[in-house]
Amino acid sequence: MKPKVIVYKKVDQKVIEFIQHTCDVVYFGKLDAETYPEFLQELKEAQGILGSGLKVDKKLLDQAPHLKIVCNTSVGYDNLDLAELTERGIMATNTPEVLNDTVADTIFGLLLSAARRMPELDDWVKNGHWKSNLGEEWFGVDVHHKVLGIIGMGGIGTALAKRAHLGFDMQILYHNRSRNEKAEQDYQAIYCSLEELLKQADFVCLMTPLTPLTEKMMGKREFELMKETAIFVNGSRGKTVDEEALIHALKTGKILAAGLDVYVQEPVQPENPLLSMKNVVTLPHIGSATYETRLKMAMVGAANLIAGLQGETPPNLIKSGVRVKYSRSIS
């Protein structure tokens, strides 16, 4: 008898067919108020679930007595209660590496867009305001040969450093829980304290995972350490930033601009002040949102799922108990 699994997020039919070779699949294209009760009913017999964004905690797990594996189709896993999963002997997996290049493209695009004010000028042109030569009040700032500070030099951070150094001759500073020798050798990245990075960088990209230690990692003091000409880009998670402190820094000119793909609350609320700021580029959390990459992520997740249910160690097993050692202190 095939194990029963639930896929709870829209995926390509190729993914479903791949899983069906070894599992009975219950598929929910999305979870909402209408489908959630049915999902909970199916969960009672499920041995595995595949998707992203679902909060998997004690309350949910109490309704899944046969669950053996939880597979995220994302690199992040802050939606998973790893301690609770470990206590119950349930495996958890994610999909790192496969999305590195696509997310790095997005983050560097945000950086360029904020620096050269592309969305603002696009709107200006489309609204018929381009009637003469562009005045200095519409000028942006150069990206090439500037200093890029990367907080979190994992796979995506390294891919970002590659684009910046080899493509735009940028000097790379980075702050990480450990040294990244590849980035240092290949892209001349310089390891430094968070304080030093914030003081020197012309662009600051936050690329850390969300953990108890990185929550609100960028706050009032951190923004005050940045140059007034600096641009901040968040490609991690919304809660790694004190959003009120960021809004204050932008309003008061403590920093020049920001590019954001993530927010404390998602979807971002219409009344959020960030949406009315011309010096902020806002994207709807699209870091990995291309057809090719999402398909790869789903297939990696499916491979993790099948391996776990066949008694093998999944390729991307998340090791519980590992704590990211970023410090909120910058002293």
PDB file of all heavy atoms in Angstrom, residues 106-132:
ATOM      1  N   THR A 106      17.103  38.584  -8.407  1.00  0.00           N
ATOM      2  CA  THR A 106      16.056  39.478  -7.895  1.00  0.00           C
ATOM      3  C   THR A 106      16.640  40.542  -6.976  1.00  0.00           C
ATOM      4  O   THR A 106      16.306  41.727  -7.092  1.00  0.00           O
ATOM      5  CB  THR A 106      14.988  38.670  -7.131  1.00  0.00           C
ATOM      6  OG1 THR A 106      14.447  37.674  -7.991  1.00  0.00           O
ATOM      7  CG2 THR A 106      13.866  39.573  -6.646  1.00  0.00           C
ATOM      8  N   ILE A 107      17.487  40.117  -6.062  1.00  0.00           N
ATOM      9  CA  ILE A 107      18.048  41.058  -5.085  1.00  0.00           C
ATOM     10  C   ILE A 107      18.927  42.093  -5.769  1.00  0.00           C
ATOM     11  O   ILE A 107      18.867  43.283  -5.446  1.00  0.00           O
ATOM     12  CB  ILE A 107      18.844  40.296  -4.007  1.00  0.00           C
ATOM     13  CG1 ILE A 107      17.941  39.314  -3.270  1.00  0.00           C
ATOM     14  CG2 ILE A 107      19.481  41.272  -3.015  1.00  0.00           C
ATOM     15  CD1 ILE A 107      16.646  39.912  -2.758  1.00  0.00           C
ATOM     16  N   PHE A 108      19.728  41.649  -6.747  1.00  0.00           N
ATOM     17  CA  PHE A 108      20.561  42.630  -7.439  1.00  0.00           C
ATOM     18  C   PHE A 108      19.695  43.549  -8.293  1.00  0.00           C
ATOM     19  O   PHE A 108      20.001  44.733  -8.467  1.00  0.00           O
ATOM     20  CB  PHE A 108      21.630  41.944  -8.297  1.00  0.00           C
ATOM     21  CG  PHE A 108      22.820  42.822  -8.530  1.00  0.00           C
ATOM     22  CD1 PHE A 108      23.808  42.917  -7.568  1.00  0.00           C
ATOM     23  CD2 PHE A 108      22.940  43.585  -9.674  1.00  0.00           C
ATOM     24  CE1 PHE A 108      24.896  43.761  -7.742  1.00  0.00           C
ATOM     25  CE2 PHE A 108      24.025  44.421  -9.867  1.00  0.00           C
ATOM     26  CZ  PHE A 108      25.004  44.514  -8.901  1.00  0.00           C
ATOM     27  N   GLY A 109      18.603  43.023  -8.825  1.00  0.00           N
ATOM     28  CA  GLY A 109      17.667  43.875  -9.550  1.00  0.00           C
ATOM     29  C   GLY A 109      17.063  44.942  -8.651  1.00  0.00           C
ATOM     30  O   GLY A 109      16.889  46.100  -9.068  1.00  0.00           O
ATOM     31  N   LEU A 110      16.720  44.569  -7.420  1.00  0.00           N
ATOM     32  CA  LEU A 110      16.215  45.546  -6.449  1.00  0.00           C
ATOM     33  C   LEU A 110      17.258  46.626  -6.172  1.00  0.00           C
ATOM     34  O   LEU A 110      16.937  47.819  -6.091  1.00  0.00           O
ATOM     35  CB  LEU A 110      15.866  44.837  -5.135  1.00  0.00           C
ATOM     36  CG  LEU A 110      14.431  44.404  -4.898  1.00  0.00           C
ATOM     37  CD1 LEU A 110      14.329  43.637  -3.586  1.00  0.00           C
ATOM     38  CD2 LEU A 110      13.486  45.598  -4.889  1.00  0.00           C
ATOM     39  N   LEU A 111      18.491  46.191  -6.009  1.00  0.00           N
ATOM     40  CA  LEU A 111      19.581  47.131  -5.737  1.00  0.00           C
ATOM     41  C   LEU A 111      19.714  48.138  -6.874  1.00  0.00           C
ATOM     42  O   LEU A 111      19.779  49.363  -6.652  1.00  0.00           O
ATOM     43  CB  LEU A 111      20.869  46.334  -5.537  1.00  0.00           C
ATOM     44  CG  LEU A 111      22.136  47.048  -5.082  1.00  0.00           C
ATOM     45  CD1 LEU A 111      23.057  46.043  -4.375  1.00  0.00           C
ATOM     46  CD2 LEU A 111      22.880  47.660  -6.265  1.00  0.00           C
ATOM     47  N   LEU A 112      19.748  47.641  -8.099  1.00  0.00           N
ATOM     48  CA  LEU A 112      19.862  48.519  -9.265  1.00  0.00           C
ATOM     49  C   LEU A 112      18.654  49.450  -9.390  1.00  0.00           C
ATOM     50  O   LEU A 112      18.793  50.642  -9.685  1.00  0.00           O
ATOM     51  CB  LEU A 112      19.995  47.688 -10.537  1.00  0.00           C
ATOM     52  CG  LEU A 112      21.358  47.058 -10.825  1.00  0.00           C
ATOM     53  CD1 LEU A 112      21.230  46.059 -11.962  1.00  0.00           C
ATOM     54  CD2 LEU A 112      22.375  48.129 -11.175  1.00  0.00           C
ATOM     55  N   SER A 113      17.470  48.889  -9.167  1.00  0.00           N
ATOM     56  CA  SER A 113      16.246  49.677  -9.311  1.00  0.00           C
ATOM     57  C   SER A 113      16.188  50.817  -8.309  1.00  0.00           C
ATOM     58  O   SER A 113      15.766  51.936  -8.635  1.00  0.00           O
ATOM     59  CB  SER A 113      15.017  48.772  -9.140  1.00  0.00           C
ATOM     60  OG  SER A 113      14.961  47.817 -10.167  1.00  0.00           O
ATOM     61  N   ALA A 114      16.596  50.519  -7.072  1.00  0.00           N
ATOM     62  CA  ALA A 114      16.591  51.567  -6.048  1.00  0.00           C
ATOM     63  C   ALA A 114      17.658  52.618  -6.325  1.00  0.00           C
ATOM     64  O   ALA A 114      17.425  53.821  -6.157  1.00  0.00           O
ATOM     65  CB  ALA A 114      16.800  50.935  -4.668  1.00  0.00           C
ATOM     66  N   ALA A 115      18.831  52.163  -6.767  1.00  0.00           N
ATOM     67  CA  ALA A 115      19.932  53.095  -7.018  1.00  0.00           C
ATOM     68  C   ALA A 115      19.631  54.041  -8.178  1.00  0.00           C
ATOM     69  O   ALA A 115      19.889  55.245  -8.111  1.00  0.00           O
ATOM     70  CB  ALA A 115      21.224  52.326  -7.292  1.00  0.00           C
ATOM     71  N   ARG A 116      19.052  53.502  -9.258  1.00  0.00           N
ATOM     72  CA  ARG A 116      18.787  54.306 -10.442  1.00  0.00           C
ATOM     73  C   ARG A 116      17.330  54.783 -10.520  1.00  0.00           C
ATOM     74  O   ARG A 116      16.908  55.337 -11.529  1.00  0.00           O
ATOM     75  CB  ARG A 116      19.163  53.517 -11.705  1.00  0.00           C
ATOM     76  CG  ARG A 116      20.646  53.138 -11.776  1.00  0.00           C
ATOM     77  CD  ARG A 116      21.583  54.346 -11.678  1.00  0.00           C
ATOM     78  NE  ARG A 116      21.288  55.310 -12.702  1.00  0.00           N
ATOM     79  CZ  ARG A 116      21.841  55.308 -13.921  1.00  0.00           C
ATOM     80  NH1 ARG A 116      22.700  54.356 -14.251  1.00  0.00           N
ATOM     81  NH2 ARG A 116      21.521  56.227 -14.787  1.00  0.00           N
ATOM     82  N   ARG A 117      16.568  54.524  -9.471  1.00  0.00           N
ATOM     83  CA  ARG A 117      15.189  55.023  -9.328  1.00  0.00           C
ATOM     84  C   ARG A 117      14.297  54.573 -10.499  1.00  0.00           C
ATOM     85  O   ARG A 117      13.455  55.316 -10.995  1.00  0.00           O
ATOM     86  CB  ARG A 117      15.195  56.548  -9.196  1.00  0.00           C
ATOM     87  CG  ARG A 117      16.011  57.031  -8.011  1.00  0.00           C
ATOM     88  CD  ARG A 117      16.254  58.515  -8.010  1.00  0.00           C
ATOM     89  NE  ARG A 117      15.015  59.283  -7.884  1.00  0.00           N
ATOM     90  CZ  ARG A 117      14.974  60.617  -7.844  1.00  0.00           C
ATOM     91  NH1 ARG A 117      16.097  61.328  -7.925  1.00  0.00           N
ATOM     92  NH2 ARG A 117      13.824  61.246  -7.736  1.00  0.00           N
ATOM     93  N   MET A 118      14.494  53.346 -10.933  1.00  0.00           N
ATOM     94  CA  MET A 118      13.818  52.860 -12.130  1.00  0.00           C
ATOM     95  C   MET A 118      12.296  52.819 -12.026  1.00  0.00           C
ATOM     96  O   MET A 118      11.605  53.306 -12.935  1.00  0.00           O
ATOM     97  CB  MET A 118      14.379  51.494 -12.527  1.00  0.00           C
ATOM     98  CG  MET A 118      15.820  51.556 -13.023  1.00  0.00           C
ATOM     99  SD  MET A 118      16.430  49.917 -13.484  1.00  0.00           S
ATOM    100  CE  MET A 118      18.130  50.326 -13.895  1.00  0.00           C
ATOM    101  N   PRO A 119      11.721  52.259 -10.952  1.00  0.00           N
ATOM    102  CA  PRO A 119      10.254  52.251 -10.882  1.00  0.00           C
ATOM    103  C   PRO A 119       9.658  53.662 -10.846  1.00  0.00           C
ATOM    104  O   PRO A 119       8.634  53.925 -11.473  1.00  0.00           O
ATOM    105  CB  PRO A 119       9.972  51.505  -9.575  1.00  0.00           C
ATOM    106  CG  PRO A 119      11.184  50.672  -9.349  1.00  0.00           C
ATOM    107  CD  PRO A 119      12.319  51.511  -9.845  1.00  0.00           C
ATOM    108  N   GLU A 120      10.303  54.550 -10.123  1.00  0.00           N
ATOM    109  CA  GLU A 120       9.827  55.929 -10.012  1.00  0.00           C
ATOM    110  C   GLU A 120       9.860  56.626 -11.367  1.00  0.00           C
ATOM    111  O   GLU A 120       8.907  57.320 -11.767  1.00  0.00           O
ATOM    112  CB  GLU A 120      10.703  56.674  -9.000  1.00  0.00           C
ATOM    113  CG  GLU A 120      10.256  58.082  -8.679  1.00  0.00           C
ATOM    114  CD  GLU A 120      11.197  58.787  -7.727  1.00  0.00           C
ATOM    115  OE1 GLU A 120      12.210  58.179  -7.312  1.00  0.00           O
ATOM    116  OE2 GLU A 120      10.927  59.959  -7.412  1.00  0.00           O
ATOM    117  N   LEU A 121      10.952  56.424 -12.106  1.00  0.00           N
ATOM    118  CA  LEU A 121      11.086  57.068 -13.411  1.00  0.00           C
ATOM    119  C   LEU A 121      10.194  56.410 -14.463  1.00  0.00           C
ATOM    120  O   LEU A 121       9.688  57.085 -15.364  1.00  0.00           O
ATOM    121  CB  LEU A 121      12.551  57.037 -13.857  1.00  0.00           C
ATOM    122  CG  LEU A 121      13.458  58.014 -13.092  1.00  0.00           C
ATOM    123  CD1 LEU A 121      14.920  57.700 -13.330  1.00  0.00           C
ATOM    124  CD2 LEU A 121      13.146  59.452 -13.498  1.00  0.00           C
ATOM    125  N   ASP A 122       9.987  55.120 -14.342  1.00  0.00           N
ATOM    126  CA  ASP A 122       9.058  54.421 -15.231  1.00  0.00           C
ATOM    127  C   ASP A 122       7.657  55.027 -15.084  1.00  0.00           C
ATOM    128  O   ASP A 122       6.972  55.312 -16.085  1.00  0.00           O
ATOM    129  CB  ASP A 122       9.036  52.939 -14.888  1.00  0.00           C
ATOM    130  CG  ASP A 122       7.969  52.175 -15.641  1.00  0.00           C
ATOM    131  OD1 ASP A 122       8.138  51.946 -16.844  1.00  0.00           O
ATOM    132  OD2 ASP A 122       6.957  51.817 -15.021  1.00  0.00           O
ATOM    133  N   ASP A 123       7.248  55.211 -13.850  1.00  0.00           N
ATOM    134  CA  ASP A 123       5.939  55.811 -13.586  1.00  0.00           C
ATOM    135  C   ASP A 123       5.881  57.236 -14.128  1.00  0.00           C
ATOM    136  O   ASP A 123       4.865  57.672 -14.695  1.00  0.00           O
ATOM    137  CB  ASP A 123       5.671  55.790 -12.079  1.00  0.00           C
ATOM    138  CG  ASP A 123       4.297  56.325 -11.723  1.00  0.00           C
ATOM    139  OD1 ASP A 123       3.299  55.670 -12.057  1.00  0.00           O
ATOM    140  OD2 ASP A 123       4.219  57.404 -11.097  1.00  0.00           O
ATOM    141  N   TRP A 124       6.960  57.972 -13.981  1.00  0.00           N
ATOM    142  CA  TRP A 124       7.041  59.375 -14.418  1.00  0.00           C
ATOM    143  C   TRP A 124       6.880  59.474 -15.939  1.00  0.00           C
ATOM    144  O   TRP A 124       6.137  60.299 -16.451  1.00  0.00           O
ATOM    145  CB  TRP A 124       8.391  59.935 -13.965  1.00  0.00           C
ATOM    146  CG  TRP A 124       8.600  61.397 -14.166  1.00  0.00           C
ATOM    147  CD1 TRP A 124       8.007  62.437 -13.506  1.00  0.00           C
ATOM    148  CD2 TRP A 124       9.528  61.986 -15.098  1.00  0.00           C
ATOM    149  NE1 TRP A 124       8.503  63.624 -13.952  1.00  0.00           N
ATOM    150  CE2 TRP A 124       9.434  63.393 -14.927  1.00  0.00           C
ATOM    151  CE3 TRP A 124      10.419  61.478 -16.035  1.00  0.00           C
ATOM    152  CZ2 TRP A 124      10.202  64.274 -15.679  1.00  0.00           C
ATOM    153  CZ3 TRP A 124      11.188  62.361 -16.773  1.00  0.00           C
ATOM    154  CH2 TRP A 124      11.068  63.737 -16.597  1.00  0.00           C
ATOM    155  N   VAL A 125       7.561  58.556 -16.650  1.00  0.00           N
ATOM    156  CA  VAL A 125       7.469  58.552 -18.108  1.00  0.00           C
ATOM    157  C   VAL A 125       6.064  58.153 -18.565  1.00  0.00           C
ATOM    158  O   VAL A 125       5.455  58.799 -19.436  1.00  0.00           O
ATOM    159  CB  VAL A 125       8.522  57.598 -18.715  1.00  0.00           C
ATOM    160  CG1 VAL A 125       8.292  57.438 -20.220  1.00  0.00           C
ATOM    161  CG2 VAL A 125       9.929  58.116 -18.453  1.00  0.00           C
ATOM    162  N   LYS A 126       5.518  57.096 -17.991  1.00  0.00           N
ATOM    163  CA  LYS A 126       4.211  56.592 -18.404  1.00  0.00           C
ATOM    164  C   LYS A 126       3.082  57.569 -18.110  1.00  0.00           C
ATOM    165  O   LYS A 126       2.024  57.518 -18.753  1.00  0.00           O
ATOM    166  CB  LYS A 126       3.935  55.249 -17.723  1.00  0.00           C
ATOM    167  CG  LYS A 126       4.767  54.113 -18.311  1.00  0.00           C
ATOM    168  CD  LYS A 126       4.531  52.806 -17.589  1.00  0.00           C
ATOM    169  CE  LYS A 126       5.340  51.685 -18.238  1.00  0.00           C
ATOM    170  NZ  LYS A 126       5.224  50.406 -17.486  1.00  0.00           N
ATOM    171  N   ASN A 127       3.296  58.447 -17.167  1.00  0.00           N
ATOM    172  CA  ASN A 127       2.284  59.445 -16.841  1.00  0.00           C
ATOM    173  C   ASN A 127       2.472  60.748 -17.617  1.00  0.00           C
ATOM    174  O   ASN A 127       1.853  61.771 -17.295  1.00  0.00           O
ATOM    175  CB  ASN A 127       2.272  59.722 -15.337  1.00  0.00           C
ATOM    176  CG  ASN A 127       1.542  58.633 -14.564  1.00  0.00           C
ATOM    177  OD1 ASN A 127       0.317  58.540 -14.589  1.00  0.00           O
ATOM    178  ND2 ASN A 127       2.302  57.776 -13.888  1.00  0.00           N
ATOM    179  N   GLY A 128       3.327  60.709 -18.630  1.00  0.00           N
ATOM    180  CA  GLY A 128       3.456  61.828 -19.551  1.00  0.00           C
ATOM    181  C   GLY A 128       4.238  63.016 -19.056  1.00  0.00           C
ATOM    182  O   GLY A 128       4.104  64.129 -19.585  1.00  0.00           O
ATOM    183  N   HIS A 129       5.120  62.809 -18.061  1.00  0.00           N
ATOM    184  CA  HIS A 129       5.870  63.941 -17.501  1.00  0.00           C
ATOM    185  C   HIS A 129       7.204  64.203 -18.201  1.00  0.00           C
ATOM    186  O   HIS A 129       7.856  65.200 -17.911  1.00  0.00           O
ATOM    187  CB  HIS A 129       6.127  63.706 -16.010  1.00  0.00           C
ATOM    188  CG  HIS A 129       4.885  63.580 -15.194  1.00  0.00           C
ATOM    189  ND1 HIS A 129       3.895  64.552 -15.178  1.00  0.00           N
ATOM    190  CD2 HIS A 129       4.451  62.592 -14.371  1.00  0.00           C
ATOM    191  CE1 HIS A 129       2.920  64.169 -14.376  1.00  0.00           C
ATOM    192  NE2 HIS A 129       3.226  62.980 -13.881  1.00  0.00           N
ATOM    193  N   TRP A 130       7.611  63.301 -19.102  1.00  0.00           N
ATOM    194  CA  TRP A 130       8.901  63.485 -19.776  1.00  0.00           C
ATOM    195  C   TRP A 130       8.699  64.409 -20.977  1.00  0.00           C
ATOM    196  O   TRP A 130       8.400  63.972 -22.074  1.00  0.00           O
ATOM    197  CB  TRP A 130       9.440  62.129 -20.211  1.00  0.00           C
ATOM    198  CG  TRP A 130      10.856  62.202 -20.741  1.00  0.00           C
ATOM    199  CD1 TRP A 130      11.779  63.161 -20.515  1.00  0.00           C
ATOM    200  CD2 TRP A 130      11.477  61.245 -21.607  1.00  0.00           C
ATOM    201  NE1 TRP A 130      12.942  62.887 -21.172  1.00  0.00           N
ATOM    202  CE2 TRP A 130      12.786  61.704 -21.848  1.00  0.00           C
ATOM    203  CE3 TRP A 130      11.054  60.047 -22.187  1.00  0.00           C
ATOM    204  CZ2 TRP A 130      13.679  61.010 -22.665  1.00  0.00           C
ATOM    205  CZ3 TRP A 130      11.953  59.349 -22.986  1.00  0.00           C
ATOM    206  CH2 TRP A 130      13.252  59.828 -23.220  1.00  0.00           C
ATOM    207  N   LYS A 131       8.914  65.672 -20.752  1.00  0.00           N
ATOM    208  CA  LYS A 131       8.694  66.683 -21.797  1.00  0.00           C
ATOM    209  C   LYS A 131       9.958  67.462 -22.143  1.00  0.00           C
ATOM    210  O   LYS A 131       9.953  68.289 -23.049  1.00  0.00           O
ATOM    211  CB  LYS A 131       7.597  67.656 -21.347  1.00  0.00           C
ATOM    212  CG  LYS A 131       6.258  66.964 -21.065  1.00  0.00           C
ATOM    213  CD  LYS A 131       5.188  67.955 -20.669  1.00  0.00           C
ATOM    214  CE  LYS A 131       3.890  67.264 -20.298  1.00  0.00           C
ATOM    215  NZ  LYS A 131       3.313  66.469 -21.404  1.00  0.00           N
ATOM    216  N   SER A 132      11.033  67.213 -21.390  1.00  0.00           N
ATOM    217  CA  SER A 132      12.295  67.905 -21.655  1.00  0.00           C
ATOM    218  C   SER A 132      13.427  67.068 -21.074  1.00  0.00           C
ATOM    219  O   SER A 132      13.193  65.973 -20.537  1.00  0.00           O
ATOM    220  CB  SER A 132      12.289  69.304 -21.020  1.00  0.00           C
ATOM    221  OG  SER A 132      12.118  69.209 -19.610  1.00  0.00           O
TER     222      SER A 132
END
